[in-house]
Amino acid sequence: MTQVFREAVSIEQLNALSQNTAISTLGIVFSAAGEDWLQATMPVDERTRQPYGILHGGASVVLAETLGSSAGNLCVDTAKQICVGLEINANHVRAVRSGTVTGTARAVHVGRSTQLWEIRIEDEQGRLVCISRLTLAVVAAGHG
């Protein structure tokens, strides 16, 4: 896919917008971006593990939705439109007990009324932990 973001991505601005939200509470930090992808990391610690000591699937979904929704909103003029989650699925394929996971959202389809993003979450060895697909609705700003 070619350039999908409206302008150069400011990782610093994305991280600043995330303060005092579920994103910062879980330790999610935006780390890199390209022409059609956005990346963030999340620690596997007491905030993100389930009672059996492994990464909580819900935390992986928060990371996936954070990446896809943030990437989607970088594709629209947020003064006029915003992107909101319509549907998300996630397949959890590998348990992680510690360290950091990295999620990468890539555009599959960026349309006028919907967007589709694939989010791959990998462990520190680059092994697939979770794969997710997020469908976003593009709506008028103030009507999300």
Side-chain angles (χ1 to χ4, degrees), residues 6 16 21 68 71 92 105:
R6 290 176 46 85
T21 68
H92 309 289

Side-chain angles (χ1 to χ4, degrees), residues 9-26:
V9 176
S10 168
I11 298 299
E12 296 77 18
Q13 185 177 20
L14 287 171
N15 284 318
L17 286 171
S18 301
Q19 293 306 304
N20 302 311
T21 68
I23 299 165
S24 63
T25 300
L26 292 182

Side-chain angles (χ1 to χ4, degrees), residues 3-54:
Q3 173 83 29
V4 296
F5 299 138
R6 290 176 46 85
E7 54 192 44
V9 176
S10 168
I11 298 299
E12 296 77 18
Q13 185 177 20
L14 287 171
N15 284 318
L17 286 171
S18 301
Q19 293 306 304
N20 302 311
T21 68
I23 299 165
S24 63
T25 300
L26 292 182
I28 296 170
V29 176
F30 291 97
S31 54
E35 293 184 343
D36 68 341
W37 58 271
L38 184 61
Q39 194 169 73
T41 60
M42 181 177 68
V44 180
D45 63 17
E46 67 281 353
R47 295 170 289 181
T48 59
R49 282 193 290 256
Q50 44 99 306
Y52 298 104
I54 60 176

Side-chain angles (χ1 to χ4, degrees), residues 1 7 22-23 26 40 55-56 62 81 84 92 102:
M1 185 167 268
E7 54 192 44
I23 299 165
L26 292 182
L55 178 62
H56 194 295
V62 172
Q81 297 176 305
V84 295
H92 309 289
T102 301

